[in-house]
Amino acid sequence: MISIKGLSKVFQTKDQAVTAVDNLDLTIEKGEIFGVIGYSGAGKSTFIRLLNRLEDPSAGSVVIDDRDVASLKKKELRLARQDIGMIFQHFNLLWSRTVHDNIAFPLEVAGVAKKERDQRVEELIELVGLAGRGQSYPSQLSGGQKQRVGIARALANKPKVLLCDEATSALDPETTDSILDLLVDINQKLNLTIVLITHEMHVIRKICHQVAVMEGGKIVEQGDVLDVFLHPQKKVTKRFVDQVMGDPEKENSLNLIHDTYKSDSILKLHFVGENTNQALISDISRKFNIDVNILHGKITQTQKGAYGTLFVQFSGEQNEIENVVGYIQSTTVEVEVNPSA
Amino acid sequence: MLESLFPNVEMEDMLTATYETLYMTIISVAGTFILGLMLGLLLYLSSPGGLWQNRTLNMVTASTVNVLRAIPFIILILLLFPFTDFLVGTIRGPKAALPALIIGGAPFYARLVEIALKEVDKGVLEAAKAMGAKYRSIIFKVLLPESMPALISGITVTAIALIGYTAVAGAIGAGGLGDFAYFYGFQRSDWDVVLACTILIILIVFLFQFVGDSLSRRLDRR
Ligand SMILES: Nc1ncnc2c1ncn2[C@@H]1O[C@H](COP(=O)(O)OP(=O)(O)OP(=O)(O)O)[C@@H](O)[C@H]1O
Ligand SMILES: [Mg+2]
């Protein structure tokens, strides 16, 4: 769907050349939600702006749907852009237009007739959950509602790709989640390819299928969201994963657990992309004659299943506990007895 | 009562003079709006980073605007006599004042237009570009509507300056309230006529300010 080769962007400033995007190769599949995460200055915005050529690349190619965006002529580029929707951190709505007219704007630009335009706008208002607000002005809407207008506007010309530049960074956590849900919803309904950039691992965790970690203009790590969560290779990536998971091993709580409980019956359970074994604990307490005491941990949901770590204490007969460990080993949940502090 | 306060004021002449002032103001405001808008757009679009980024065009426009703004209005009228004569066929009367009024007002308004356009959110312009909008759509559907309240306040300020200019033009025979106050009031020492003209001009200024303010406020949905 999107194939990027050797893409670079160098900004020439007065005193130096800044390489914002550095010889980047990437393939994004159709229907995928592809997340790019990185700290401030990593080059994320520059990268996403190269995809619809709001920035001209210094080198390399961006092929979207067999069309090399980097080599298009002015008019072709305008038409190509109508197939690429984009939403922004600060929404960028026209304050002088109503919600309805904001959504109609890209349709006017594409030369869609008035009657068809109105009909399409109504569909979109419905799709993003703003029914009845068509005649409001942006100033009368909350941040989350403004972003919904932004999304409707971006979808107006039925694009094949949606680019999101920090689309939820100006929103509170709850509103962020509702916007992310909407993005997943349209991704599934319209089989739309979504490229989103963010500095919040929470966003990646919640909706992305693939993630690329960006640092200094380069992609330093890339893969299935779950794989990256599981086996973060680079230091930046680990820091991002810790953003969501915390770092249980590093926390004092593990020492506290060892001090407080008889250590030989403490188990560390590692859930990796689980859908089938989420009921493991209740399973165990039903099948075996032991008591389960949950001590500490965190489980989180990704698009590919649950992921996280749980510390539990089993109390009961020693050989019964051994049976339990054997049972857990027969599932896909990883288990460690008496994890070291 | 009016008779005793303004013994020398001829109602009919006064009305004619008021009409002439209104005529000069309204036509010159319309002309200034169009010419100033074009010059202001040119300044903005040709500036570095603008849609039509062009150094030469920007410099030529900016110098023209600056030179025209530097010339005192009364001198501008004199300088424009040949041009006015060619265009209007006379250098006397309200109609003959229009070229000077518009050429005097437009550069002033052009700078206000430029400032108004610079205030338009860059993000919104970028969004329009990302949607594949033509320059024409960006100008007429984004730039102008998004800066409309400032464009209206700007033309209000300009209109009031133009009312002042019509009075100056009056002093060299353009007609209107300035002309009337000078020739029928000042030169005959009929001070009640000067006073009546002043009051009428103030009323016209207030009228323009009021209309401009309420229009600008009504259009502002921010
Ligand atoms: N127009 C520009 N001119 C010069 N340098 C630029 C320009 N735009 C970006 N840069 C530089 O390129 C680098 C990457 O910037 P970019 O905006 O892509 O980062 P980012 O990852 O989006 O950061 P943030 O999370 O803060 O938005 C930075 O060092 C920045 O200073
Ligand atoms: Mg950015």
Side-chain angles (χ1 to χ4, degrees):
Chain A
M1 175 77 204
I2 305 180
S3 152
I4 295 158
K5 288 206 180 67
L7 189 65
S8 292
K9 175 70 190 182
V10 182
F11 288 108
Q12 198 62 52
T13 58
K14 278 220 174 62
D15 35 276
Q16 60 172 339
V18 180
T19 308
V21 171
D22 194 359
N23 195 15
L24 215 125
D25 296 305
L26 203 63
T27 306
I28 297 170
E29 301 298 335
K30 185 161 175 53
E32 203 165 61
I33 304 186
F34 193 101
V36 177
I37 190 165
Y39 287 108
S40 187
K44 307 179 299 289
S45 294
T46 310
F47 164 69
I48 206 161
R49 291 159 52 84
L50 284 164
L51 298 186
N52 59 357
R53 231 174 91 190
L54 284 175
E55 300 290 357
D56 284 312
S58 309
S61 66
V62 176
V63 178
I64 300 181
D65 244 3
D66 302 324
R67 200 159 38 179
D68 184 2
V69 177
S71 67
L72 292 177
K73 302 233 169 37
K74 220 165 158 179
K75 179 161 180 221
E76 299 165 332
L77 176 64
R78 270 203 297 103
L79 295 176
R81 278 173 173 169
Q82 292 173 9
D83 280 339
I84 307 173
M86 188 170 195
I87 57 176
F88 305 85
Q89 178 173 5
H90 298 295
F91 325 123
N92 296 352
L93 303 177
L94 291 121
W95 63 254
S96 58
R97 286 180 170 231
T98 59
V99 166
H100 179 284
D101 292 351
N102 262 289
I103 301 172
F105 181 83
L107 297 165
E108 289 172 25
V109 162
V112 176
K114 169 103 171 81
K115 206 168 149 221
E116 208 182 322
R117 218 158 59 204
D118 287 344
Q119 197 185 340
R120 178 91 185 114
V121 171
E122 282 316 308
E123 284 169 29
L124 287 159
I125 288 182
E126 195 71 40
L127 176 72
V128 299
L130 283 178
R133 299 307 302 267
Q135 293 314 309
S136 301
Y137 282 88
S139 60
Q140 300 165 318
L141 302 179
S142 70
Q145 290 169 328
K146 283 182 195 157
Q147 196 57 288
R148 284 170 190 271
V149 179
I151 292 171
R153 182 176 73 171
L155 296 178
N157 282 320
K158 307 194 169 151
K160 304 189 180 76
V161 185
L162 179 66
L163 308 177
C164 315
D165 187 350
E166 304 267 7
T168 57
S169 298
L171 305 174
D172 64 51
E174 210 153 307
T175 315
T176 293
D177 280 354
S178 77
I179 293 294
L180 294 178
D181 288 339
L182 176 61
L183 287 176
V184 172
D185 189 41
I186 56 180
N187 165 255
Q188 287 166 353
K189 263 193 203 147
L190 312 174
N191 192 29
L192 183 74
T193 310
I194 300 181
V195 182
L196 69 83
I197 68 172
T198 179
H199 57 259
E200 293 171 304
M201 201 59 181
H202 166 76
V203 172
I204 302 281
R205 192 220 89 207
K206 192 161 154 92
I207 72 166
C208 293
H209 305 121
Q210 289 277 317
V211 60
V213 182
M214 217 172 158
E215 194 180 31
K218 287 193 161 70
I219 287 180
V220 294
E221 193 163 349
Q222 188 204 332
D224 252 43
V225 169
L226 203 61
D227 286 341
V228 172
F229 260 86
L230 255 183
H231 311 291
Q233 303 293 319
K234 294 283 189 321
K235 222 162 137 193
V236 246
T237 318
K238 288 193 179 116
R239 271 161 74 198
F240 277 122
V241 172
D242 290 350
Q243 229 184 48
V244 177
M245 298 308 301
D247 188 353
E249 272 91 34
K250 266 196 210 119
E251 286 169 21
N252 304 333
S253 44
L254 199 57
N255 289 324
L256 202 64
I257 291 170
H258 277 282
D259 292 348
T260 318
Y261 300 95
K262 207 171 94 234
S263 64
D264 59 343
S265 59
I266 294 174
L267 279 82
K268 178 179 165 189
L269 304 177
H270 205 43
F271 291 76
V272 180
E274 285 300 327
N275 286 318
T276 42
N277 289 308
Q278 288 191 33
L280 184 73
I281 301 291
S282 70
D283 226 22
I284 290 168
S285 68
R286 214 180 307 120
K287 285 197 177 116
F288 299 90
N289 187 23
I290 55 164
D291 288 322
V292 183
N293 186 10
I294 296 176
L295 304 176
H296 174 84
K298 184 160 182 176
I299 305 283
T300 189
Q301 305 295 322
T302 73
Q303 284 286 308
K304 293 267 173 70
Y307 163 78
T309 310
L310 215 54
F311 289 87
V312 295
Q313 184 199 32
F314 292 154
S315 47
E317 295 290 327
Q318 188 57 39
N319 63 341
E320 188 73 344
I321 292 176
E322 273 158 28
N323 288 339
V324 174
V325 173
Y327 173 72
I328 298 172
Q329 277 164 347
S330 76
T331 70
T332 53
V333 176
E334 292 168 17
V335 58
E336 200 181 323
V337 186
N338 296 325
S340 49
Chain B
M1 176 91 155
L2 275 176
E3 289 276 316
S4 58
L5 263 178
F6 301 103
N8 303 306
V9 172
E10 294 278 350
M11 222 26 163
E12 207 162 310
D13 295 345
M14 207 68 192
L15 275 177
T16 311
T18 308
Y19 165 78
E20 284 172 350
T21 293
L22 280 174
Y23 168 85
M24 281 189 283
T25 309
I26 287 170
I27 307 280
S28 67
V29 165
T32 298
F33 184 70
I34 293 165
L35 190 62
L37 210 53
M38 293 198 303
L39 281 173
L41 271 169
L42 214 55
L43 280 173
Y44 172 83
L45 295 172
S46 65
S47 66
L51 286 181
W52 297 340
Q53 184 168 345
N54 184 325
R55 239 201 152 94
T56 325
L57 184 62
N58 191 250
M59 239 170 59
V60 171
T61 320
S63 332
T64 313
V65 163
N66 288 345
V67 166
L68 285 176
R69 278 209 310 152
I71 304 173
F73 185 65
I74 188 107
I75 298 175
L76 185 69
I77 300 177
L78 302 177
L79 285 174
L80 284 176
F81 269 164
F83 176 68
T84 306
D85 200 13
F86 167 74
L87 207 67
V88 192
T90 171
I91 55 164
R92 306 203 53 85
K95 221 172 180 172
L98 293 177
L101 286 170
I102 292 170
I103 290 171
F108 177 74
Y109 184 51
R111 285 296 183 192
L112 298 181
V113 170
E114 189 192 10
I115 294 169
L117 295 175
K118 275 187 186 157
E119 291 294 307
V120 174
D121 184 358
K122 296 280 172 301
V124 174
L125 290 174
E126 193 154 289
K129 259 190 239 168
M131 282 180 251
K134 290 190 188 114
Y135 287 170
R136 191 158 39 110
S137 311
I138 294 182
I139 293 170
F140 289 103
K141 290 177 189 282
V142 181
L143 275 174
L144 295 182
E146 292 281 297
S147 59
M148 201 43 87
L151 293 177
I152 299 291
S153 324
I155 198 63
T156 308
V157 172
T158 312
I160 286 159
L162 282 170
I163 294 169
Y165 286 172
T166 65
V168 176
I172 51 170
L177 289 164
D179 189 331
F180 200 75
Y182 186 71
F183 289 104
Y184 294 86
F186 176 73
Q187 295 206 332
R188 293 182 186 171
S189 293
D190 287 343
W191 295 105
D192 60 328
V193 173
V194 178
L195 183 65
C197 287
T198 311
I199 292 171
L200 281 168
I201 286 179
I202 290 173
L203 286 178
I204 294 174
V205 166
F206 279 15
L207 177 74
F208 272 83
Q209 187 71 53
F210 175 77
V211 172
D213 283 351
S214 42
L215 200 60
S216 170
R217 207 169 326 114
R218 254 232 328 256
L219 287 170
D220 199 345
R221 303 284 187 174
R222 275 172 291 195

